[in-house]
């Protein structure tokens, strides 16, 4: 589905060149979940920002499968700091509306929040098991807990396509540290949400430091270090690791 | 006692009328500052721009409706200029507003034919309502006290129309996206919104509202003056902060945009009533700007929630 071939990315700063990615190769099959692990500065965020189009690679190529030939893949990126995507003073329902309008014009003659839209949002949230957020539809997002805000952001990236006319879900879902702000309960909920998305056929790349979170969830783990994939561990190999520490063989530098 | 009642009625009458005349300024500050998070200082130039254009257009016999729409268009263009300076030339928000305001001062002087002011006497929007004033005063036997009930009604209708127009816009799909741009520009861009385009439209709307207020003020005062915008931004700010404070103390919700615009209008009318009362008590009109500044300080100092103001400068 997605093939990343020999991607490099160099940043120039104050006359010095920093090489964030040094010829990274990675293949992600359609419908699979791949975890990208590695220490801070190993290139995870740079890779994600290249995949969602925020950055251009210095060299190398990104190849999507035949279905996307000639067109740009739709990538939904949930950054680690979800507040970069949120509008704290605005209502939860406004966030759903903006996600619904993504890729479409916002018309001045059409009312934003209508009773019909509100009902649709409630139903969608309810179906996803997010009753707590559905009950807070008319509240500013800043009044939700940080965990619920994070869950809402992940939900919008993955599920908002159901509200759009084209109904096309994103080709790739990029989740950068999705559990960083979550407590145990919300982490479990997040895992069940991702499991369901996996069953529905979503393709996901997850950057994380938490092996215990991804171990039961992903098809493959790629260990990044110094801008390249140092090691890949597939699902069968994962079962052979009795402890988390043994599954992280790359020394921190 | 009768004198006191007369004084109170007079103050309420004048304050209410003034507040409704300046309604566009309060709504302009709501749009630029609360919605777009853009401290647009050019409003001090846009307000007299509306007054000048309306005044001159009416002195040429264009009629009040054309004059009003000419002022509205000019205000929108001035907002576009500020937005272009900010979005295309990457000027800071403050600097782009200052630059436009400076340019507008000369423009206003030119529009007024090089004179500092021009009289606006005949054919105003308020003329029919002023005739109604006389009729109502006669009907209610107000005696020596002259009330502006008709004019208040006329200004109330205009302020209400402007408020409904802005409310409807802010409640539309476009309005929700506009608020997103004001709250988190980067987030709005990630969600596929062209932030620059929204700023262009938002500032055009805000300045058009201020310009409308200027056009109405010129008709109400009977003249357009190149300096009539000095301090008008602070009046708008007082209106917004005071209105929010009044709503918060009463316990009324401020979570919807209609409530925000309503609170700004309530704040403005309250402020104007207080100012009318202070002037009636014998404080000289030359102290008006001082009073406005002090009013803003008092409102901010005694706010119920000592949080930073909800808008960032």
């Amino acid at each position: 589905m997605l093939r990343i071939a020999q991607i490099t990315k160099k940043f120039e700063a104050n006359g010095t060149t920093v090489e964030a990615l040094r010829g990274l190769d990675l293949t992600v099959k359609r419908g699979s979940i791949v975890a990208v692990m590695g220490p801070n500065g190993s290139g995870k965020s740079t890779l994600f920002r290249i995949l969602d189009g925020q950055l251009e690679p210095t060299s190398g190529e990104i190849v999507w499968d035949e279905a996307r030939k000639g067109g740009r893949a739709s990538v939904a990126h949930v950054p680690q700091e979800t507040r970069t995507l949120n509008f704290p003073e605005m209502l939860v329902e406004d966030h759903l509306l903006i996600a619904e309008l993504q890729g479409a014009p916002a018309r001045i003659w059409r009312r934003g929040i209508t009773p019909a839209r509100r009902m649709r949002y409630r139903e969608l949230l309810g179906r996803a098991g997010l009753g707590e957020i559905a009950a807070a539809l008319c509240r500013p997002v800043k009044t939700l807990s940080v965990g619920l805000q994070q869950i809402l952001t992940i939900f919008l990236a993955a599920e908002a396509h159901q509200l759009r006319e084209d109904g096309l879900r994103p080709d790739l879902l990029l989740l950068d540290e999705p559990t960083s702000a979550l407590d145990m309960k919300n982490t479990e909920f997040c895992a069940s949400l991702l499991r369901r998305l996996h069953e529905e056929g979503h393709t996901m790349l997850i950057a994380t430091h938490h092996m215990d979170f991804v171990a039961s969830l992903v098809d493959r783990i790629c260990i990044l270090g110094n801008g390249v994939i140092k090691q890949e561990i597939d699902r069968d190999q994962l079962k052979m690791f009795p402890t988390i520490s043994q599954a992280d063989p790359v020394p921190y530098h | 006692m009768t004198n006191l009642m007369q004084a109170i009625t007079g103050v309420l009458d004048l304050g209410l009328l003034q507040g409704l005349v300046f309604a566009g300024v309060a709504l302009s500050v709501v749009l630029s500052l609360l919605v777009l998070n853009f401290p647009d200082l050019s409003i001090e130039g846009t307000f007299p721009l509306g007054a000048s254009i309306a005044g001159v257009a009416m002195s040429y016999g264009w009629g009040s409706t054309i004059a009003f729409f000419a002022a509205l268009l000019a205000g929108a263009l001035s907002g576009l200029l500020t937005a272009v300076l900010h979005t295309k030339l990457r000027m800071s928000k403050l600097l782009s507003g200052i630059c436009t305001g400076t340019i507008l001062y000369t423009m206003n002087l030119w529009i007024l034919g090089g004179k500092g002011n021009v009289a606006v006497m005949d054919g105003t929007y308020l003329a029919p309502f002023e005739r109604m004033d006389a009729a109502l005063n006669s009907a209610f036997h107000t005696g020596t006290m002259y009330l502006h009930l008709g004019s208040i009604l006329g200004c109330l209708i205009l302020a209400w129309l402007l408020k409904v127009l802005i409310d409807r816009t802010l409640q539309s799909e476009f309005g929700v996206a506009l608020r997103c741009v004001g709250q988190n520009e980067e987030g709005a861009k990630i969600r596929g919104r062209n932030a620059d385009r929204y700023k262009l439209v938002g500032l055009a709307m805000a300045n058009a509202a201020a310009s409308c207020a200027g056009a109405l003020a010129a008709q109400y005062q009977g003249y357009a003056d190149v300096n009539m915008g000095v301090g008008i931004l602070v009046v708008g700010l007082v209106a917004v902060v005071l209105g929010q404070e009044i709503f918060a103390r009463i316990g009324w919700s401020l979570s919807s945009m209609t409530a925000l615009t309503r609170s700004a209008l309530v704040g403005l009318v309250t402020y104007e009533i207080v100012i009318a009362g202070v002037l009636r008590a014998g404080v000289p009109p030359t102290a008006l700007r001082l009073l406005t500044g002090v009013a803003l300080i008092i409102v901010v100092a005694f706010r119920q929630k000592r949080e930073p103001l909800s808008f960032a400068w």
Side-chain angles (χ1 to χ4, degrees), chain B residues 65-214:
Chain B
T65 306
I66 293 177
F68 196 75
F69 280 103
L72 189 139
L73 183 65
L77 288 175
S78 124
L80 283 180
L81 175 62
T82 306
V84 166
L85 293 179
H86 171 64
T87 57
K88 304 298 175 202
L89 301 186
R90 295 287 162 218
M91 275 189 188
S92 73
K93 293 174 178 176
L94 285 176
L95 191 59
S96 51
I98 290 169
C99 190
T100 306
T102 308
I103 291 168
L104 285 179
Y105 185 81
T106 303
M107 297 285 288
N108 291 338
L109 267 177
W110 284 352
I111 292 165
L112 292 173
K115 294 178 283 185
N117 53 56
V118 67
V120 183
M121 302 304 286
D122 302 319
T124 69
Y125 261 125
L126 297 177
F129 296 105
E130 283 164 1
R131 283 194 290 277
M132 201 192 291
D133 285 343
L136 287 171
N137 276 298
S138 160
F140 289 125
H141 306 293
T142 52
T144 53
M145 195 169 57
Y146 191 84
L147 297 176
H148 300 85
L149 297 175
S151 298
I152 287 171
L153 178 68
C155 291
L156 185 66
I157 292 169
L158 286 175
W160 180 79
L161 282 175
L162 194 59
K163 177 183 154 31
V164 168
L165 194 67
I166 290 174
D167 284 348
R168 285 292 160 110
T169 306
L170 292 177
Q171 287 168 338
S172 69
E173 290 179 354
F174 172 85
V176 174
L178 186 73
R179 280 150 54 204
C180 285
V181 170
Q183 291 236 336
N184 177 359
E185 196 176 324
E186 287 310 309
K189 282 179 184 167
I190 293 170
R191 297 272 191 225
R193 299 293 128 201
N194 184 333
D196 288 355
R197 204 175 293 164
Y198 283 90
K199 283 184 194 168
L200 285 168
V201 180
L203 285 177
M205 281 170 55
N207 282 273
S211 189
C212 284

Side-chain angles (χ1 to χ4, degrees), chain A residues 117-166:
Chain A
R117 265 193 170 130
R118 194 171 284 148
M119 192 180 290
R120 209 144 51 96
Y121 297 162
R122 267 209 188 98
E123 279 172 14
L124 187 66
L125 286 163
R127 274 206 307 274
L130 294 171
E132 206 175 334
I133 297 178
L137 213 52
C138 300
R139 272 173 39 197
V141 152
K142 68 177 182 184
T143 63
L144 298 182
S145 68
V146 177
L148 276 185
Q149 287 184 40
Q150 184 121 359
I151 296 275
L152 173 68
T153 312
I154 295 169
F155 168 80
L156 289 178
E159 304 272 47
H161 65 276
Q162 295 181 42
L163 298 166
R164 297 185 200 124
E165 281 175 16
D166 60 14

Side-chain angles (χ1 to χ4, degrees), chain B:
Chain B
M1 190 64 186
T2 314
N3 283 346
L4 182 65
M5 284 303 290
Q6 277 197 353
I8 291 172
T9 312
V11 163
L12 289 175
D13 176 73
L14 192 63
L16 197 55
L17 182 57
Q18 290 251 35
L20 292 171
V21 166
F22 291 120
V25 173
L27 295 173
S28 171
V29 172
V30 169
L31 274 173
S32 59
L33 212 52
L34 295 190
V35 174
L36 266 181
N37 195 16
F38 195 109
D40 184 7
L41 302 188
S42 73
I43 286 170
E44 299 221 343
T46 317
F47 181 78
L49 175 72
S52 307
I53 287 193
V56 169
M58 287 170 71
S59 69
Y60 283 154
W62 285 13
S64 54
T65 306
I66 293 177
F68 196 75
F69 280 103
L72 189 139
L73 183 65
L77 288 175
S78 124
L80 283 180
L81 175 62
T82 306
V84 166
L85 293 179
H86 171 64
T87 57
K88 304 298 175 202
L89 301 186
R90 295 287 162 218
M91 275 189 188
S92 73
K93 293 174 178 176
L94 285 176
L95 191 59
S96 51
I98 290 169
C99 190
T100 306
T102 308
I103 291 168
L104 285 179
Y105 185 81
T106 303
M107 297 285 288
N108 291 338
L109 267 177
W110 284 352
I111 292 165
L112 292 173
K115 294 178 283 185
N117 53 56
V118 67
V120 183
M121 302 304 286
D122 302 319
T124 69
Y125 261 125
L126 297 177
F129 296 105
E130 283 164 1
R131 283 194 290 277
M132 201 192 291
D133 285 343
L136 287 171
N137 276 298
S138 160
F140 289 125
H141 306 293
T142 52
T144 53
M145 195 169 57
Y146 191 84
L147 297 176
H148 300 85
L149 297 175
S151 298
I152 287 171
L153 178 68
C155 291
L156 185 66
I157 292 169
L158 286 175
W160 180 79
L161 282 175
L162 194 59
K163 177 183 154 31
V164 168
L165 194 67
I166 290 174
D167 284 348
R168 285 292 160 110
T169 306
L170 292 177
Q171 287 168 338
S172 69
E173 290 179 354
F174 172 85
V176 174
L178 186 73
R179 280 150 54 204
C180 285
V181 170
Q183 291 236 336
N184 177 359
E185 196 176 324
E186 287 310 309
K189 282 179 184 167
I190 293 170
R191 297 272 191 225
R193 299 293 128 201
N194 184 333
D196 288 355
R197 204 175 293 164
Y198 283 90
K199 283 184 194 168
L200 285 168
V201 180
L203 285 177
M205 281 170 55
N207 282 273
S211 189
C212 284
L216 198 59
Q219 297 184 40
Y220 160 68
Q221 292 173 344
Y223 64 91
D225 190 297
V226 74
N227 289 317
M228 67 196 287
V230 177
I232 203 73
L233 182 63
V234 182
V235 172
L237 274 174
V238 174
V240 167
V241 182
L242 180 61
Q244 289 192 355
E245 186 59 19
I246 291 170
F247 271 46
R249 284 188 186 267
I250 294 175
W252 289 346
S253 165
L254 274 165
S255 59
S256 71
M257 290 317 294
T258 47
L260 265 186
T261 51
R262 198 182 308 133
S263 75
L265 294 183
V266 168
L268 182 61
V269 169
T270 309
Y271 161 78
E272 290 293 351
I273 288 173
V274 171
I275 290 294
V278 170
L279 292 177
R280 176 82 184 210
V283 174
T286 48
L288 197 60
R289 302 288 169 228
L290 174 73
L291 289 174
T292 309
V294 171
L296 180 61
I297 294 168
I298 290 172
V299 173
V300 170
F302 288 95
R303 276 180 308 149
Q304 211 168 33
K305 288 182 186 172
R306 290 294 182 86
E307 293 170 353
L309 293 175
S310 58
F311 32 83
W313 283 76

